[in-house]
Amino acid sequence: MSQPVAPILSVNHLRVGFRKRGVETTAVHDVSLTVDRGEIVGLVGESGSGKSLTCRAALRLMPRGGRVTAGSVHVDGRDVLDMSNGELRALRAHTIGMIFQDPFTSLNPTLRIGRQLVETLRVNAGIADHAAHDRAVELLGQVEIPDPAARLRVYPHELSGGMRQRVMLALAIAANPRLLIADEPTTALDVSTQAQVLALIKRLREESGMSVLLVSHDFGVISAMCDRVVVMYGGFVVESGTIAQVYSAPRHPYTRALLDAVPDLTIPQPGYRRPTIQGPPLGTVAYQGGCPFEPRCRFARPECRHVDMSLPGRDDAHLSACPFVDASHVADIAAAVPTGGRQ
Ligand SMILES: Nc1ncnc2c1ncn2[C@@H]1O[C@H](COP(=O)(O)OP(=O)(O)OP(=O)(O)O)[C@@H](O)[C@H]1O
Ligand code: SF4
Ligand SMILES: [Mg+2]
């Protein structure tokens, strides 16, 4: 009997903490997720929920003061937290391509685009200089940059935001990674450029079979792009499932509130106000244990302060960290009162 193939990314009960001036804080409390081969998995949640730190853990690239304090991360079946520096370099060079949230952290403003691409191809893909130049032209063509040979000679600041994002994508896929982690790859772009860059990621996935972990705070983007979605809140996974499961019958009140916050363009103006999630935003209330959404949840009850938030990464089920509310409750009450939060 053939062995089951390990997921390309498997994060289990990840916890990330910071130590600053002798004080320890926890930023990611308990995150489990998997990305299978060829899959696009969306990671969604509002600002501060821990999406970027979870992505960075896959590459063991923590910001200063941050470290993984519990849990495990496996890429292609191998333990990332146990890798030597050489193994980590190889992982970052060959197996995972990452687009960081801020394009300026990945592009060197003082180097021409061509130089950056050739260097990446030389170091990460082991391609000799002359061949790397041709491959760089080919890559810019692949990410649909017009006149690619001429663009190799420009500096990042000479490109529009959309073109810079395409260059980032070209750098990320230069060594044909098996997993692309794209952290908010289109947030700074206008709607039509955003759609073009997302379509490009989808096309590259179809052509190469690479897997994608796509981070966004926008459920509209996630539902258009992904096979499955993982919803985060306050450093925890609160719900996960296929797009169809989570979109048509969300089981967690926070997911419901997020879906309500997607603008409904079918509702005629004026008079329509886009619902927002009420209650204190993330980070303004210290985490006290139990369900982190409790200060904002309309269904909250005393037992919520003792809920066990540890969800498994995947068992092909539709998972929710809320034991008190099922999809029918969420739908009924959301229909009666169209915004999240206690009234
Ligand atoms: N360098 C840091 N130092 C201290 N705490 C940090 C640092 N980076 C992140 N954090 C903490 O971790 C939390 C989660 O950060 P993270 O960047 O993963 O959020 P995010 O979900 O990616 O948010 P956004 O949508 O704004 O990008 C933050 O709210 C913050 O409390
Ligand atoms: S009902 Fe309780 S456990 Fe469920 S989401 Fe609301 S606060 Fe959290
Ligand atoms: Mg982020």
Side-chain angles (χ1 to χ4, degrees), residues 60-128:
R60 223 168 90 191
L61 262 183
M62 283 293 137
R64 184 188 289 269
R67 69 190 176 94
V68 173
T69 52
S72 65
V73 181
H74 287 80
V75 172
D76 212 4
R78 295 175 56 220
D79 186 346
V80 173
L81 304 181
D82 204 34
M83 283 181 181
S84 66
N85 288 341
E87 288 171 323
L88 262 184
R89 269 197 300 279
L91 173 89
R92 293 171 190 163
H94 307 300
T95 312
I96 304 183
M98 173 130 185
I99 304 178
F100 290 92
Q101 199 162 359
D102 172 7
F104 288 104
T105 58
S106 300
L107 292 178
N108 184 333
T110 65
L111 294 181
R112 293 177 204 271
I113 297 300
R115 174 87 188 279
Q116 300 190 47
L117 271 168
V118 166
E119 196 58 17
T120 302
L121 286 163
R122 210 174 51 74
V123 175
N124 292 0
I127 300 178

Coordinates of all heavy atoms in Angstrom, one line a residue, residues 60-128:
R60 N 11.1 30.1 9.6 CA 11.9 30.4 10.8 C 12.6 31.8 10.6 O 13.7 32.0 11.0 CB 13.0 29.3 11.0 CG 13.0 29.0 12.5 CD 13.9 27.7 12.7 NE 15.3 28.0 13.0 CZ 16.2 27.1 13.0 NH1 15.9 25.8 12.7 NH2 17.5 27.4 13.2
L61 N 11.8 32.7 10.2 CA 12.3 34.1 10.0 C 11.5 35.0 10.9 O 10.5 35.7 10.5 CB 11.9 34.5 8.5 CG 13.0 34.5 7.5 CD1 12.5 35.0 6.2 CD2 14.3 35.2 7.9
M62 N 11.8 35.0 12.2 CA 11.1 35.8 13.1 C 11.6 37.3 13.2 O 12.8 37.5 13.0 CB 11.2 35.2 14.5 CG 10.4 34.0 14.7 SD 8.6 34.4 14.7 CE 8.0 33.1 13.7
P63 N 10.7 38.2 13.5 CA 11.2 39.6 13.7 C 12.0 39.6 15.0 O 12.0 38.7 15.8 CB 9.9 40.4 13.9 CG 8.7 39.5 13.7 CD 9.2 38.1 13.6
R64 N 12.8 40.7 15.1 CA 13.7 40.8 16.3 C 13.0 40.6 17.6 O 11.9 41.2 17.8 CB 14.4 42.1 16.3 CG 15.4 42.3 17.4 CD 15.8 43.8 17.4 NE 16.6 44.1 16.2 CZ 18.0 44.0 16.2 NH1 18.6 43.6 17.3 NH2 18.6 44.3 15.1
G65 N 13.5 39.7 18.5 CA 12.8 39.5 19.8 C 11.8 38.4 19.8 O 11.3 38.0 20.8
G66 N 11.4 38.0 18.6 CA 10.4 36.9 18.5 C 10.9 35.5 18.3 O 12.0 35.3 17.8
R67 N 10.2 34.6 18.9 CA 10.7 33.2 18.7 C 9.5 32.2 18.9 O 8.5 32.6 19.5 CB 11.8 32.8 19.7 CG 11.4 32.7 21.1 CD 12.6 32.6 22.0 NE 12.2 32.6 23.4 CZ 11.9 31.6 24.1 NH1 12.0 30.4 23.6 NH2 11.4 31.7 25.4
V68 N 9.6 31.1 18.3 CA 8.6 30.0 18.5 C 8.8 29.4 19.8 O 9.9 28.9 20.2 CB 8.7 28.9 17.4 CG1 7.8 27.8 17.6 CG2 8.5 29.5 16.0
T69 N 7.8 29.5 20.7 CA 7.9 29.0 22.1 C 7.3 27.6 22.3 O 7.5 27.0 23.3 CB 7.4 30.0 23.1 OG1 6.0 30.3 22.7 CG2 8.2 31.2 23.1
A70 N 6.4 27.2 21.3 CA 5.8 25.8 21.4 C 5.3 25.4 20.1 O 5.1 26.3 19.2 CB 4.7 25.9 22.4
G71 N 5.1 24.1 19.9 CA 4.5 23.6 18.7 C 5.6 23.2 17.7 O 6.8 23.2 18.0
S72 N 5.1 22.9 16.5 CA 6.1 22.4 15.4 C 5.6 22.9 14.1 O 4.5 23.2 13.8 CB 6.1 20.9 15.4 OG 4.9 20.4 15.0
V73 N 6.6 23.0 13.2 CA 6.4 23.4 11.8 C 7.1 22.4 10.9 O 8.3 22.2 11.0 CB 6.9 24.8 11.5 CG1 6.6 25.2 10.0 CG2 6.3 25.8 12.4
H74 N 6.4 21.7 10.0 CA 7.1 20.8 9.1 C 6.8 21.3 7.6 O 5.7 21.6 7.3 CB 6.5 19.4 9.2 CG 7.0 18.7 10.4 ND1 6.4 18.9 11.7 CD2 8.0 17.8 10.6 CE1 7.1 18.2 12.6 NE2 8.0 17.5 12.0
V75 N 7.9 21.3 6.8 CA 7.7 21.6 5.4 C 8.2 20.4 4.7 O 9.3 19.9 4.9 CB 8.6 22.8 5.0 CG1 8.6 23.0 3.5 CG2 8.0 24.1 5.7
D76 N 7.3 19.9 3.8 CA 7.7 18.7 3.0 C 8.1 17.5 4.0 O 9.0 16.8 3.7 CB 8.8 19.0 2.1 CG 8.7 18.2 0.8 OD1 7.8 17.5 0.6 OD2 9.7 18.3 0.0
G77 N 7.4 17.4 5.1 CA 7.7 16.4 6.1 C 8.9 16.6 7.0 O 9.2 15.8 7.8
R78 N 9.6 17.7 6.8 CA 10.8 18.0 7.6 C 10.6 19.1 8.6 O 10.0 20.1 8.4 CB 12.0 18.3 6.7 CG 12.3 17.1 5.7 CD 13.4 17.5 4.7 NE 14.6 18.0 5.4 CZ 15.3 19.0 4.9 NH1 14.9 19.6 3.9 NH2 16.4 19.4 5.6
D79 N 11.2 18.8 9.8 CA 11.0 19.7 10.9 C 11.8 21.0 10.8 O 13.0 21.0 10.9 CB 11.4 19.0 12.2 CG 11.1 19.8 13.5 OD1 10.8 21.0 13.4 OD2 11.2 19.1 14.6
V80 N 11.1 22.1 10.5 CA 11.8 23.4 10.3 C 12.5 23.9 11.5 O 13.6 24.5 11.4 CB 10.8 24.5 9.8 CG1 11.5 25.8 9.7 CG2 10.2 24.0 8.4
L81 N 11.9 23.7 12.7 CA 12.5 24.2 13.9 C 13.8 23.5 14.3 O 14.6 24.0 15.1 CB 11.5 24.2 15.1 CG 10.2 24.9 14.8 CD1 9.2 24.8 15.9 CD2 10.4 26.3 14.4
D82 N 14.0 22.3 13.7 CA 15.2 21.5 14.0 C 16.3 21.6 13.0 O 17.3 20.9 13.0 CB 14.7 20.1 14.1 CG 15.6 19.2 15.0 OD1 16.1 19.8 15.9 OD2 15.8 18.0 14.7
M83 N 16.1 22.5 11.9 CA 17.0 22.5 10.8 C 18.3 23.2 11.2 O 18.3 24.2 11.9 CB 16.4 23.2 9.6 CG 15.4 22.3 8.9 SD 14.7 23.2 7.4 CE 13.6 21.9 6.8
S84 N 19.4 22.8 10.6 CA 20.7 23.6 10.7 C 20.6 24.8 9.9 O 19.7 24.9 9.0 CB 21.8 22.7 10.2 OG 21.7 22.5 8.8
N85 N 21.5 25.7 10.0 CA 21.5 27.0 9.2 C 21.6 26.7 7.7 O 20.9 27.3 6.9 CB 22.6 27.9 9.7 CG 22.2 28.5 11.0 OD1 21.1 28.5 11.4 ND2 23.3 29.0 11.7
G86 N 22.4 25.7 7.4 CA 22.5 25.3 6.0 C 21.2 24.8 5.4 O 20.8 25.1 4.3
E87 N 20.6 23.9 6.2 CA 19.3 23.4 5.7 C 18.2 24.5 5.6 O 17.4 24.4 4.7 CB 18.8 22.3 6.7 CG 19.7 21.0 6.7 CD 19.3 20.1 7.9 OE1 19.0 20.5 9.0 OE2 19.3 18.9 7.6
L88 N 18.3 25.4 6.5 CA 17.3 26.5 6.5 C 17.5 27.4 5.2 O 16.6 27.7 4.5 CB 17.5 27.5 7.6 CG 16.6 27.3 8.8 CD1 16.9 28.3 9.9 CD2 15.1 27.3 8.4
R89 N 18.8 27.6 4.9 CA 19.1 28.4 3.7 C 18.6 27.7 2.5 O 18.0 28.3 1.6 CB 20.7 28.6 3.6 CG 21.1 29.9 4.2 CD 22.5 30.3 3.7 NE 23.5 29.2 4.0 CZ 24.1 29.1 5.2 NH1 23.8 29.9 6.2 NH2 25.0 28.1 5.4
A90 N 18.8 26.4 2.4 CA 18.3 25.6 1.3 C 16.8 25.6 1.2 O 16.2 25.7 0.1 CB 18.8 24.1 1.4
L91 N 16.1 25.5 2.4 CA 14.7 25.6 2.4 C 14.2 26.9 1.8 O 13.2 26.9 1.0 CB 14.2 25.5 3.9 CG 12.7 25.6 4.1 CD1 12.0 24.3 4.0 CD2 12.4 26.2 5.5
R92 N 14.8 28.0 2.3 CA 14.4 29.3 1.8 C 14.7 29.6 0.3 O 14.0 30.3 -0.4 CB 15.0 30.4 2.7 CG 14.5 30.4 4.1 CD 15.4 31.4 5.0 NE 15.1 31.2 6.4 CZ 15.9 31.7 7.3 NH1 17.0 32.3 7.0 NH2 15.6 31.5 8.6
A93 N 15.8 28.9 -0.1 CA 16.2 29.1 -1.5 C 15.4 28.3 -2.5 O 15.0 28.7 -3.5 CB 17.7 28.8 -1.6
H94 N 15.1 27.0 -2.1 CA 14.5 26.1 -3.1 C 13.1 25.7 -2.9 O 12.4 25.4 -3.8 CB 15.4 24.8 -3.2 CG 16.8 25.0 -3.4 ND1 17.3 25.7 -4.5 CD2 17.9 24.8 -2.6 CE1 18.6 25.8 -4.4 NE2 19.0 25.2 -3.2
T95 N 12.7 25.6 -1.6 CA 11.4 24.9 -1.4 C 10.2 25.9 -1.2 O 9.1 25.7 -1.7 CB 11.5 24.1 -0.1 OG1 12.6 23.3 -0.2 CG2 10.2 23.2 0.0
I96 N 10.5 27.1 -0.5 CA 9.5 28.0 -0.3 C 9.8 29.4 -0.9 O 11.0 29.9 -0.7 CB 9.3 28.3 1.3 CG1 9.0 27.0 2.0 CG2 8.2 29.3 1.5 CD1 8.8 27.1 3.5
G97 N 8.9 30.0 -1.6 CA 9.0 31.3 -2.1 C 8.1 32.2 -1.3 O 7.0 31.8 -1.0
M98 N 8.6 33.4 -0.9 CA 7.7 34.2 0.0 C 7.6 35.6 -0.6 O 8.6 36.2 -1.0 CB 8.3 34.2 1.4 CG 7.5 35.2 2.3 SD 7.0 34.5 3.9 CE 6.0 35.9 4.5
I99 N 6.4 36.1 -0.6 CA 6.2 37.5 -0.9 C 5.8 38.2 0.4 O 4.8 37.8 1.0 CB 5.0 37.7 -1.9 CG1 5.3 36.9 -3.2 CG2 4.8 39.2 -2.2 CD1 4.1 37.0 -4.2
F100 N 6.7 39.1 0.9 CA 6.4 39.7 2.2 C 5.4 40.8 2.0 O 5.2 41.3 0.9 CB 7.7 40.3 2.8 CG 8.6 39.2 3.2 CD1 9.6 38.7 2.4 CD2 8.5 38.6 4.5 CE1 10.4 37.6 2.8 CE2 9.4 37.6 4.9 CZ 10.3 37.1 4.0
Q101 N 4.8 41.2 3.2 CA 3.7 42.2 3.2 C 4.2 43.5 2.6 O 3.4 44.2 1.9 CB 3.2 42.3 4.6 CG 1.9 43.0 4.7 CD 1.3 42.7 6.1 OE1 1.9 42.1 6.9 NE2 0.1 43.2 6.3
D102 N 5.4 43.9 3.0 CA 5.9 45.2 2.5 C 6.9 44.9 1.4 O 8.0 44.4 1.6 CB 6.6 45.9 3.7 CG 7.3 47.2 3.2 OD1 7.1 47.5 2.1 OD2 8.0 47.8 4.1
P103 N 6.6 45.3 0.1 CA 7.5 45.0 -1.0 C 8.9 45.6 -0.8 O 9.9 45.0 -1.3 CB 6.9 45.7 -2.2 CG 5.5 46.2 -1.8 CD 5.4 46.1 -0.3
F104 N 9.0 46.7 0.0 CA 10.4 47.3 0.1 C 11.3 46.5 1.1 O 12.4 46.7 1.1 CB 10.2 48.7 0.6 CG 9.7 49.6 -0.5 CD1 8.4 50.0 -0.5 CD2 10.5 49.9 -1.6 CE1 7.9 50.8 -1.5 CE2 10.0 50.7 -2.6 CZ 8.7 51.1 -2.6
T105 N 10.7 45.5 1.8 CA 11.6 44.6 2.6 C 12.2 43.6 1.7 O 13.2 43.0 2.1 CB 10.8 43.9 3.8 OG1 9.8 43.2 3.2 CG2 10.2 44.9 4.8
S106 N 11.6 43.3 0.5 CA 12.2 42.3 -0.3 C 13.0 42.8 -1.5 O 13.9 42.2 -2.0 CB 11.1 41.4 -0.9 OG 10.4 40.8 0.1
L107 N 12.7 44.0 -1.9 CA 13.4 44.6 -3.1 C 14.5 45.6 -2.6 O 14.2 46.4 -1.7 CB 12.4 45.3 -4.0 CG 11.4 44.5 -4.8 CD1 10.5 45.3 -5.6 CD2 12.2 43.5 -5.7
N108 N 15.6 45.4 -3.1 CA 16.7 46.4 -2.7 C 16.6 47.6 -3.6 O 16.7 47.5 -4.8 CB 18.1 45.7 -2.9 CG 19.2 46.5 -2.4 OD1 19.1 47.8 -2.4 ND2 20.3 45.9 -2.0
P109 N 16.3 48.8 -2.9 CA 16.1 50.0 -3.7 C 17.3 50.5 -4.5 O 17.2 51.3 -5.5 CB 15.7 51.1 -2.7 CG 16.1 50.5 -1.4 CD 16.2 49.1 -1.5
T110 N 18.5 50.0 -4.1 CA 19.7 50.5 -4.7 C 20.2 49.6 -5.9 O 21.2 49.9 -6.5 CB 20.9 50.6 -3.7 OG1 21.2 49.3 -3.3 CG2 20.5 51.4 -2.5
L111 N 19.5 48.5 -6.1 CA 19.9 47.6 -7.2 C 18.9 47.5 -8.3 O 17.7 47.5 -8.0 CB 20.2 46.2 -6.6 CG 21.3 46.0 -5.7 CD1 21.4 44.5 -5.3 CD2 22.6 46.5 -6.3
R112 N 19.4 47.5 -9.5 CA 18.4 47.3 -10.7 C 17.7 46.0 -10.5 O 18.3 45.0 -10.0 CB 19.2 47.3 -12.0 CG 19.8 48.7 -12.3 CD 20.6 48.6 -13.6 NE 21.6 49.6 -13.7 CZ 21.4 50.8 -14.2 NH1 20.3 51.2 -14.7 NH2 22.4 51.7 -14.2
I113 N 16.5 45.9 -11.1 CA 15.7 44.7 -11.0 C 16.4 43.5 -11.6 O 16.4 42.4 -11.0 CB 14.4 44.9 -11.9 CG1 13.5 46.1 -11.3 CG2 13.6 43.6 -12.0 CD1 13.1 45.8 -9.9
G114 N 17.1 43.7 -12.7 CA 17.8 42.6 -13.4 C 18.9 42.0 -12.4 O 19.0 40.8 -12.3
R115 N 19.6 42.9 -11.8 CA 20.7 42.4 -10.9 C 20.1 41.6 -9.8 O 20.7 40.5 -9.4 CB 21.4 43.7 -10.4 CG 22.5 43.5 -9.4 CD 23.8 43.2 -10.0 NE 24.7 42.8 -8.9 CZ 25.4 43.7 -8.1 NH1 25.2 45.0 -8.3 NH2 26.1 43.3 -7.1
Q116 N 19.0 42.0 -9.2 CA 18.4 41.3 -8.1 C 17.9 39.9 -8.6 O 18.1 38.9 -7.9 CB 17.2 42.1 -7.5 CG 17.7 43.4 -7.0 CD 16.7 44.2 -6.1 OE1 16.0 43.6 -5.3 NE2 16.5 45.5 -6.4
L117 N 17.3 39.9 -9.8 CA 16.8 38.6 -10.3 C 18.0 37.7 -10.6 O 17.9 36.5 -10.2 CB 16.0 38.8 -11.5 CG 14.5 39.1 -11.3 CD1 13.8 39.6 -12.6 CD2 13.8 37.8 -10.8
V118 N 19.0 38.2 -11.3 CA 20.1 37.3 -11.6 C 20.8 36.8 -10.4 O 21.1 35.6 -10.3 CB 21.1 38.1 -12.5 CG1 22.5 37.4 -12.6 CG2 20.5 38.4 -13.9
E119 N 20.9 37.6 -9.3 CA 21.6 37.2 -8.1 C 20.7 36.1 -7.5 O 21.3 35.1 -7.0 CB 21.7 38.4 -7.2 CG 22.6 38.3 -6.0 CD 24.1 37.9 -6.4 OE1 24.4 38.1 -7.6 OE2 24.8 37.4 -5.5
T120 N 19.4 36.3 -7.4 CA 18.5 35.3 -6.8 C 18.7 33.9 -7.6 O 18.7 32.9 -7.0 CB 17.1 35.7 -6.8 OG1 17.0 37.0 -6.1 CG2 16.1 34.7 -6.2
L121 N 18.7 34.0 -8.9 CA 18.8 32.8 -9.7 C 20.1 32.1 -9.6 O 20.2 30.9 -9.5 CB 18.5 33.2 -11.2 CG 17.1 33.5 -11.6 CD1 17.0 34.3 -12.9 CD2 16.2 32.2 -11.6
R122 N 21.1 32.9 -9.4 CA 22.5 32.4 -9.3 C 22.6 31.6 -7.9 O 23.0 30.5 -7.9 CB 23.5 33.5 -9.3 CG 24.9 33.1 -9.9 CD 25.8 34.3 -10.1 NE 25.9 35.1 -8.9 CZ 26.5 34.8 -7.8 NH1 27.2 33.7 -7.7 NH2 26.6 35.7 -6.8
V123 N 22.1 32.3 -6.9 CA 22.3 31.8 -5.5 C 21.3 30.7 -5.2 O 21.6 29.6 -4.8 CB 22.2 32.9 -4.4 CG1 22.2 32.3 -3.0 CG2 23.3 33.9 -4.6
N124 N 20.0 31.0 -5.6 CA 18.9 30.0 -5.2 C 18.7 28.9 -6.1 O 18.4 27.8 -5.7 CB 17.6 30.8 -5.0 CG 17.6 31.7 -3.8 OD1 18.6 31.8 -3.1 ND2 16.5 32.4 -3.6
A125 N 18.9 29.2 -7.4 CA 18.6 28.1 -8.4 C 19.9 27.6 -9.0 O 19.9 26.7 -9.8 CB 17.7 28.6 -9.5
G126 N 21.1 28.1 -8.6 CA 22.4 27.6 -9.1 C 22.6 27.8 -10.6 O 23.2 27.0 -11.2
I127 N 22.0 28.9 -11.1 CA 22.1 29.1 -12.6 C 23.3 30.1 -12.9 O 23.4 31.2 -12.2 CB 20.8 29.7 -13.1 CG1 19.7 28.7 -12.9 CG2 20.9 30.1 -14.6 CD1 18.3 29.2 -13.3
A128 N 24.1 29.8 -13.8 CA 25.3 30.7 -14.1 C 24.8 32.0 -14.7 O 23.7 32.1 -15.3 CB 26.1 30.0 -15.2

